[in-house]
Amino acid sequence: MKTSQLKAGVILSYLSKSLSTVIELAYTPVMLRLLGQSEYGLYSLTSSVVSYLGLLTFGMSGAYLRFYARERVDKGEDGVARLNGMFLLVFSAIGLIVLMAGMTLADNASLVFGGKLTPAELDRARLLLVLLSVNLAVSIPSGVFSSYIGAHEQYIFQRVLHIASSVLNPFLTLPLLLMGMGSLSLVLISLALTGATAACNIAYCFQKLHMRFCFRGIRWNLLKEIYVFSAFIFLNQIIDQMNWSVDSIILGHVWGTAVVAIYGLASRINGFYLGFSTAISSVFSPRINRIVAEGRDVDRQLLNLMIRVGRIQGLLLSLVLLGLILLGRPFLLWMGGSEAYLGSYPVMLLLIIPVTIDLVQNLGIEIQRAKNRHQFRSLAGAGMAVVNIIISLALVRPFGAVGVAFGTAVSLV
């Protein structure tokens, strides 16, 4: 059953990613034309700001699978129930903190975004910040349930749910865009789908997997161990935020929403590219943690797994990369609907070419975490993220979006 779920999970992961990419490619040009360059830039800017609130999980979301595998081997279902209760309490508290932080950001939008936004854009930015914060606050505690489903390797349910969400998103958003609701429509539909996905995950956990919670006798030593383990995951999340989100904020302060939109389209394509790699590696996370927890012939099993998965990822990414290099300019012109978006081409290449080698090996990130050897990568990446910010700040005024993308490229290399 586990093997069939794994095979189906890999197939459905690529089906989901391919389908969502095709839908996005058809939907994005229409969305960009209906929004306009400045409105899309405003949406990209507020999304980048709120994404930093996700750091308040302190990396704990990446720790569940490792400690689930260990607790199940050492203490059985009772240990898992206590772990579930601990994570739900902590994540619910974090969700409330995120909500309050989002409201604070909305009240101080003029300080957050600088002086390049018009009064009308500031008013819209405040509303977007509130709704995006609510969306994040809902998704954080619901992550316990999706992690539990992943730990049980129930990939068919997860991938079908993701496919349904990907298909529904543009069909629900477009009518609101046509009604003139602008970027607000993107956020409202995202919030609705987040709530619906969370409800489905919760129902599946209780009805199908019989998920248990125990809120008594919290093991503080275990919680401390989880936080120590998560600290370097948290550092790695900060690095990712610096590499992928800080550029938009720097551009917003110096150039305004129009240039942010140029960078935002390139970043959107980069997001598709990253997704093709993580689609398969995410399926193997529970298996990697189980191999490490059981402790039998660990290194040989993990090496063979990483080679097989890396080979598939390398072949797929090479095809996508070659296509973007050769056909990127007409593709971006079609996506954006304006020659202004041709400026996204060098930005896109600066983002995707350096990250390709890293993506081929990204199963190694899960292996590092499972073996509690992820500290060095986080520390090294932190130094490179600082280099990224320094270069981006130095080059943003003379070179705009290309300058900040060059800082990211140097950091990745």
Side-chain angles (χ1 to χ4, degrees):
M1 182 63 180
K2 295 287 187 182
T3 302
S4 62
Q5 282 276 346
L6 184 65
K7 291 179 179 178
V10 172
I11 295 171
L12 286 173
S13 290
Y14 276 114
L15 176 62
S16 172
K17 183 53 61 177
S18 301
L19 183 61
S20 61
T21 300
V22 170
I23 292 173
E24 283 286 328
L25 293 180
Y27 159 69
T28 299
V30 179
M31 180 264 290
L32 289 176
R33 286 163 177 77
L34 291 173
L35 282 180
Q37 189 172 347
S38 294
E39 183 81 1
Y40 178 64
L42 182 65
Y43 170 73
S44 298
L45 186 57
T46 52
S47 298
S48 296
V49 171
V50 173
S51 67
Y52 278 89
L53 296 180
L55 295 175
L56 293 174
T57 60
F58 298 104
M60 284 188 67
S61 56
Y64 181 88
L65 288 177
R66 180 178 186 270
F67 286 91
Y68 169 89
R70 199 184 73 177
E71 288 297 298
R72 188 164 190 180
V73 171
D74 293 343
K75 299 186 181 298
E77 291 301 325
D78 289 338
V80 172
R82 284 194 174 89
L83 186 74
N84 293 337
M86 183 188 303
F87 268 87
L88 186 60
L89 287 174
V90 172
F91 278 13
S92 296
I94 292 173
L96 290 175
I97 295 172
V98 164
L99 189 58
M100 291 187 290
M103 300 302 174
T104 303
L105 287 174
D107 289 338
N108 298 276
S110 58
L111 295 176
V112 174
F113 298 113
K116 289 295 182 178
L117 271 63
T118 66
E121 287 177 333
L122 274 176
D123 289 339
R124 178 56 64 93
R126 290 188 184 95
L127 182 57
L128 293 179
L129 284 174
V130 171
L131 293 173
L132 287 169
S133 300
V134 172
N135 187 49
L136 183 59
V138 171
S139 66
I140 289 174
S142 67
V144 178
F145 298 93
S146 60
S147 295
Y148 188 78
I149 295 171
H152 280 75
E153 301 186 36
Q154 297 294 304
Y155 301 117
I156 295 176
F157 172 79
Q158 284 190 318
R159 297 309 182 265
V160 169
L161 190 61
H162 184 268
I163 290 172
S165 178
S166 299
V167 172
L168 285 173
N169 186 36
F171 287 103
L172 294 175
T173 304
L174 280 175
L176 298 183
L177 284 172
L178 292 170
M179 291 167 59
M181 294 183 65
S183 55
L184 184 61
S185 60
L186 277 66
V187 180
L188 287 174
I189 296 304
S190 178
L191 178 58
L193 289 175
T194 297
T197 301
C200 291
N201 282 329
I202 292 170
Y204 189 84
C205 283
F206 284 119
Q207 296 180 10
K208 179 72 173 179
L209 301 179
H210 309 292
M211 187 178 187
R212 292 172 51 208
F213 289 89
C214 179
F215 300 101
R216 299 188 309 272
I218 293 178
R219 295 160 56 196
W220 297 104
N221 288 337
L222 177 61
L223 183 59
K224 179 181 177 181
E225 186 181 353
I226 292 172
Y227 267 112
V228 171
F229 174 84
S230 302
F232 289 95
I233 299 179
F234 172 57
L235 180 58
N236 202 64
Q237 288 176 340
I238 295 176
I239 296 163
D240 287 340
Q241 287 296 113
M242 287 182 178
N243 284 332
W244 304 123
S245 298
V246 76
D247 291 350
S248 294
I249 296 174
I250 293 173
L251 285 171
H253 273 272
V254 177
W255 288 93
T257 55
V259 177
V260 174
I262 300 297
Y263 185 91
L265 181 57
S267 181
R268 197 177 185 92
I269 303 302
N270 182 55
F272 296 151
Y273 192 69
L274 296 173
F276 273 103
S277 174
T278 57
I280 184 171
S281 61
S282 62
V283 173
F284 287 93
S285 296
R287 173 162 294 193
I288 289 169
N289 282 276
R290 191 175 68 248
I291 289 172
V292 173
E294 291 174 350
R296 294 194 299 268
D297 198 16
V298 174
D299 288 340
R300 185 188 64 81
Q301 291 189 70
L302 294 179
L303 178 60
N304 290 337
L305 185 62
M306 186 173 176
I307 290 172
R308 294 202 310 270
V309 173
R311 183 182 294 122
I312 296 171
Q313 289 174 322
L315 290 170
L316 288 171
L317 291 175
S318 297
L319 289 172
V320 177
L321 177 60
L322 184 61
L324 289 173
I325 291 173
L326 295 177
L327 304 173
R329 289 183 183 276
F331 174 68
L332 290 168
L333 182 61
W334 171 73
M335 287 278 286
S338 166
E339 290 192 359
Y341 283 103
L342 288 176
S344 300
Y345 179 72
V347 177
M348 177 188 71
L349 295 185
L350 283 169
L351 295 178
I352 66 173
I353 291 176
V355 82
T356 300
I357 300 300
D358 199 30
L359 293 181
V360 172
Q361 305 176 84
N362 66 3
L363 199 68
I365 298 174
E366 301 297 333
I367 293 174
Q368 285 177 334
R369 291 179 181 176
K371 300 181 75 171
N372 198 15
R373 293 185 178 180
H374 55 293
Q375 295 85 353
F376 175 76
R377 180 179 182 274
S378 298
L379 293 172
M384 293 302 98
V386 173
V387 171
N388 177 15
I389 293 177
I390 293 172
I391 295 175
S392 297
L393 289 172
L395 299 182
V396 63
R397 290 190 182 277
F399 298 106
V402 173
V404 296
F406 182 76
T408 302
V410 170
S411 172
L412 291 170
V413 170

